[in-house]
Amino acid sequence: MKFQKDTTFLSGRFKSIGFAIKGAYKLITTEHSIMVQSSLALIMIIAGFYFEIDRYEWMMQILAFGLVLGIESLNTAVEKIADFIHPEFHDRIGFIKDIAAGGVMFAAMAAMAIGLLIYVPKFL
C-alpha cells in the first residue's frame, strides 16, 4: 500500500495529532526510561502543588520535564532506527546511540538543576 499524503490543512493536522498521541502512548507503555521520567514528572507536579510554587517556577518545571521527555523520545527513536538498520552490535552504531544518550543526560542535568533551584529553598 502506497502512503498518500493528506494535503488538506485541517484533516492533515488531525491525522498528525492522532499519530503523535499514538506515539506518546507507545512511549509511555513500552519504554522504561519514559515510564521513569513520566513518574518523576508526576512527582514534581504533586510537589509543585504541595509547596505552592509560583507561576515562574511552574513554567520552569514544566519546561524542564517537557525537555527531558522530548529528548528522551528522540533518543528512543534514534535507538530504534539504529537497531533496525544494524541489529547486531557495531562500534559506529554504538557511538551514535551513545551520543543520543548524552543529549538526554544534558537535558536531565538541566532539569535536575531547575528542580534543585525550586525545591531546595523550600526545605531551608
Side-chain angles (χ1 to χ4, degrees):
M1 182 165 92
K2 185 178 178 188
F3 178 75
Q4 199 167 8
K5 185 174 182 173
D6 189 342
T7 57
T8 59
F9 179 76
L10 204 52
S11 65
R13 298 304 61 82
F14 283 125
K15 285 182 181 178
S16 293
I17 291 168
F19 294 140
I21 290 169
K22 183 179 175 183
Y25 178 77
K26 285 180 179 180
L27 280 164
I28 291 170
T29 58
T30 63
E31 296 300 319
H32 294 286
S33 57
I34 295 288
M35 291 176 198
V36 169
Q37 291 160 354
S38 296
S39 298
L40 290 172
L42 184 61
I43 290 167
M44 298 309 290
I45 290 169
I46 293 167
F49 284 116
Y50 180 80
F51 288 106
E52 298 177 351
I53 62 177
D54 65 31
R55 182 182 207 144
Y56 175 75
E57 292 169 329
W58 273 113
M59 288 188 295
M60 295 307 294
Q61 180 169 287
I62 291 166
L63 179 64
F65 61 70
L67 175 71
V68 171
L69 289 169
I71 298 295
E72 182 63 58
S73 299
L74 293 173
N75 176 54
T76 299
V78 167
E79 288 181 352
K80 298 292 182 190
I81 290 169
D83 290 344
F84 179 76
I85 291 171
H86 205 293
E88 306 85 38
F89 177 79
H90 191 280
D91 288 337
R92 292 168 81 184
I93 294 293
F95 181 78
I96 292 166
K97 291 166 93 175
D98 289 347
I99 289 171
V104 176
M105 186 190 73
F106 288 140
M109 287 174 27
M112 191 181 318
I114 289 169
L116 290 171
L117 288 168
I118 292 171
Y119 291 105
V120 167
K122 310 272 186 224
F123 289 102
L124 298 178

